[in-house]
Amino acid sequence: MPPTFAANGFLPLGRYSVSLDEAESMLVSAPEFQDSATRTALWDGLLDYVDRFLKLEDAYADVLAGLRLIHRVWLGGSFVSTKPDPRNIDATLLIDTRAERAVRGKPGSKWLTTAFQSRDRMREKFGVSPLRIGYQPVAHIFEPERFTPEERTYFTQRGVWDDWWQRCRLPGQADGSPSEQSAAPARGYLEVRL
């Protein structure tokens, strides 16, 4: 069951795993958003953005051997709040690096780079402000001395964005940059399963 928004307009603290349909029901078609001027178009943009990855998966299913390019999508920011008309969807995509390597260099694979080159361009074209984490399935998590540089990068990025999506800008803060004062977790975010 998807989480519900708290009185402050955000999700309770934590990361909530939901399906794509549950996310849409909660963030777009919920009764409180029926008069939104932006949510439907933004959601359609997110679907178009993600669909480009899914088309690559379909085109190269033989070399991917069951791997998915997108492991999960984290949604945060004002789209995951009760704000009626957010300006964009803030998304962190966990891209499976094994699948990415299998597809690199093949026709159409330039999207794997283009999708994250310019957040401004993706925001203009799809309404999505994307960030990338190179997902790594790591079995030896209790043995950090065995981590490869790529695994260390994965854990660092995952921790950074998990921390960020639980922060809120402070009231009256002119600069929206992260600060020590805004470091305490103050809201939740969604982890969408495709």
Side-chain angles (χ1 to χ4, degrees), residues 2-194:
T4 56
F5 291 106
N8 66 1
F10 298 112
L11 293 178
L13 293 178
R15 181 175 67 237
Y16 298 92
S17 180
V18 297
S19 69
L20 190 63
D21 289 342
E22 289 170 328
E24 180 179 17
S25 175
M26 182 182 163
L27 302 173
V28 182
S29 58
E32 62 262 38
F33 300 128
Q34 70 180 6
D35 295 327
S36 173
T38 63
R39 284 183 176 268
T40 298
L42 289 172
W43 188 257
D44 290 344
L46 175 67
L47 295 179
D48 288 345
Y49 179 82
V50 167
D51 189 55
R52 296 189 179 216
F53 292 93
L54 301 180
K55 285 180 178 169
L56 278 173
E57 286 178 5
D58 289 344
Y60 300 109
D62 56 331
V63 297
L64 288 170
L67 292 175
R68 306 281 315 262
L69 282 166
I70 300 175
H71 174 69
R72 295 287 188 268
V73 177
W74 290 353
L75 299 179
S78 63
F79 196 77
V80 183
S81 77
T82 56
K83 183 176 182 177
D85 295 311
R87 294 180 306 150
N88 66 310
I89 297 178
D90 293 305
T92 300
L93 284 81
L94 283 77
I95 302 296
D96 190 316
T97 57
R98 299 165 304 168
E100 187 177 45
R101 277 192 293 272
V103 172
R104 281 266 179 224
K106 300 196 180 322
S109 67
K110 185 176 179 189
W111 171 250
L112 296 171
T113 302
T114 305
F116 302 103
Q117 269 183 334
S118 170
R119 290 178 63 205
D120 289 338
R121 186 165 176 254
M122 294 300 110
R123 198 170 24 246
E124 287 172 22
K125 186 169 183 159
F126 298 100
V128 175
S129 181
L131 299 161
R132 179 193 176 279
I133 295 175
Y135 170 73
Q136 294 279 309
V138 180
H140 50 271
I141 61 169
F142 299 122
E143 301 173 73
E145 67 279 0
R146 291 181 52 199
F147 291 169
T148 66
E150 195 172 54
E151 290 168 343
R152 287 186 190 285
T153 298
Y154 162 62
F155 283 123
T156 299
Q157 289 177 343
R158 185 177 179 108
V160 164
W161 294 114
D162 176 76
D163 182 281
W164 175 248
W165 292 132
Q166 293 188 71
R167 292 181 183 217
C168 283
R169 289 188 173 94
L170 299 173
Q173 182 181 2
D175 177 8
S177 300
S179 66
E180 189 175 326
Q181 293 77 21
S182 69
R187 63 178 168 181
Y189 65 98
L190 296 180
E191 178 175 83
V192 180
R193 303 178 312 270
L194 301 180

